[in-house]
Amino acid sequence: QNKLTILSSIYASNILICAIDIIMNNYVTLSTSGLGCSPNSGQGEGINGGGGGNGGTGGVSSSPNSLGGNAYSKSYLLTSGSGGSCEYNVSSSYGGGIIAIKSTGLFSMKGYLDSSGMNASNNCGGGAGGTIYIDSSSFNAYGNIIANGGDSFGNGGGGGGGFIYFGNIINDYSNFYLYGLLTVYGGEAVNTYSIFDAYSSTPTSGTSGIISYPSCYEGYGGSYGETNLDGDFCNKCPEGEYSTGGSQPCSICTNAPSTAYYTDSGSTSSNCDYSCLSGYVNTDCVTPFQNVIQTQLGGIYGFIGIVLGGIFILVGPLIFFRLQRKYGWFESNKNRIKCDLLTVCCINLSALFKLNTTYLNNKDELVIDINYKRSSLKLTESDLPHHA
């Protein structure tokens, strides 16, 4: 059929709908809740009070040798949820059934899809959630899609969550969106009075089921892990995030410096595009001064070496000439000065005038350190011939 419009609710153990376009209006319900496998039956039936299994594993009860039902939905895709283990009242603990919708065009839903397991009674395990299978080129939905496990009663185990699958024959999920709940919770273990009170073990809840999210294009992140969707299954990654495709959410880019900002959305790799903030340059987004240091001076260590070298060049000669002025004449002429104990000097006059005439003109006191004694010799130019 080219177009199928659903105007009223449907309740059945299995609901299979195929058409080019499928339209659900008036917020109607398609439900197989509690209409799947009966208690103590199914691919993942519970044992001795255990909950049934499907996408998730059923919980165990307080009863000895209790087992929760195994998860199996990946191996048996279109299967009902297994029933919980129930010995005394087999009118409860049914699993959820199957809802399968196949559309080569548009599946537009304003309503609810429910394939949850039935809650238990009388110390029984909860029924497992069933299976909801949607395969469509476009999917626009306003409402809830749930396949939760049923709660237990007494000391029974909770039912495992169900299985929800989204497929697309053209592998284009750009027109897939849902505003509403999407859940496959495991059933809770409601621990109340029961005939198993003598046993010390505690019943457990069922585990969550499986949601097979659409596989998004590169640059688009999936809604993996979300239970309350508010828009597209596949969202274009914003600036500063990227995706290589698949059903996972967009990941955070970390390649930009702290002085930069990301510029493009829909990045397909972790090397996201960015631009420097005002006043910063180069790919590292540094200040112009830092850029000169990095590109022209060999980095920070080269810059430190140049600074220290410049200090040495400037200060070194000053220190040298200061030391030469203070100690240089005596060191270069000490062999030409011979003094007795009374500091009566015999000076090589020609050497004195040749080597240090300027020094004597500027300072008429020469201090000579001999044998750790300090002696002073007063000399002037007019006195030198007389003393000689």
Side-chain angles (χ1 to χ4, degrees), residues 114-133:
D114 187 1
S115 183
S116 298
M118 182 183 291
N119 295 335
S121 62
N122 295 335
N123 302 301
C124 298
T131 297
I132 298 177
Y133 177 93

Side-chain angles (χ1 to χ4, degrees), residues 93-365:
S93 305
Y94 281 74
I98 300 170
I99 300 175
I101 298 175
K102 176 75 172 181
S103 168
T104 57
L106 169 66
F107 174 34
S108 177
M109 183 190 91
K110 289 184 178 179
Y112 308 95
L113 304 181
D114 187 1
S115 183
S116 298
M118 182 183 291
N119 295 335
S121 62
N122 295 335
N123 302 301
C124 298
T131 297
I132 298 177
Y133 177 93
I134 299 173
D135 191 351
S136 179
S137 297
S138 298
F139 176 58
N140 304 333
Y142 296 85
N144 300 334
I145 302 175
I146 59 176
N148 301 328
D151 297 337
S152 66
F153 184 84
N155 282 353
F163 182 74
I164 299 177
Y165 171 85
F166 294 95
N168 187 317
I169 58 175
I170 61 176
N171 197 32
D172 180 2
Y173 294 93
S174 58
N175 292 319
F176 266 60
Y177 65 83
L178 167 66
Y179 292 86
L181 294 176
L182 182 65
T183 62
V184 285
Y185 296 138
E188 295 185 4
V190 182
N191 189 7
T192 61
Y193 171 80
S194 75
I195 61 173
F196 298 122
D197 281 344
Y199 303 114
S200 59
S201 59
T202 302
T204 62
S205 300
T207 63
S208 296
I210 298 173
I211 300 176
S212 178
Y213 289 88
S215 181
C216 305
Y217 287 141
E218 292 183 348
Y220 288 78
S223 304
Y224 178 79
E226 296 185 24
T227 58
N228 189 358
L229 279 82
D230 189 18
D232 296 336
F233 280 86
C234 297
N235 298 290
K236 190 175 185 179
C237 298
E239 294 87 350
E241 298 184 13
Y242 73 97
S243 172
T244 57
S247 59
Q248 299 293 328
C250 297
S251 300
I252 302 297
C253 303
T254 58
N255 61 302
S258 59
T259 52
Y261 60 94
Y262 292 103
T263 56
D264 295 333
S265 60
S267 296
T268 60
S269 72
S270 58
N271 188 26
C272 300
D273 294 334
Y274 64 87
S275 295
C276 298
L277 297 173
S278 178
Y280 295 89
V281 297
N282 211 342
T283 57
D284 295 333
C285 293
V286 295
T287 63
F289 178 68
Q290 291 173 317
N291 184 51
V292 171
I293 292 176
Q294 293 179 359
T295 60
Q296 305 296 326
L297 304 180
I300 185 63
Y301 295 109
F303 174 72
I304 293 174
I306 292 174
V307 171
L308 293 178
I311 293 174
F312 178 79
I313 292 174
L314 293 175
V315 178
L318 298 177
I319 297 175
F320 173 78
F321 288 119
R322 173 59 180 164
L323 294 175
Q324 179 71 15
R325 179 180 178 84
K326 186 172 183 180
Y327 303 110
W329 182 89
F330 175 74
E331 290 296 327
S332 61
N333 295 279
K334 62 182 179 181
N335 293 329
R336 303 185 183 190
I337 302 174
K338 297 180 180 180
C339 301
D340 59 12
L341 295 176
L342 297 176
T343 68
V344 178
C345 296
C346 209
I347 303 173
N348 187 322
L349 186 61
S350 62
L352 180 64
F353 273 109
K354 182 185 296 184
L355 298 176
N356 222 298
T357 302
T358 303
Y359 180 84
L360 292 174
N361 288 336
N362 295 333
K363 187 174 183 182
D364 64 353
E365 181 176 350

Side-chain angles (χ1 to χ4, degrees), residues 50-61:
N54 185 8
T57 302
V60 299
S61 74

Side-chain angles (χ1 to χ4, degrees), residues 82-93:
S82 297
S85 173
C86 191
E87 182 178 354
Y88 301 99
N89 185 351
V90 294
S91 62
S92 65
S93 305

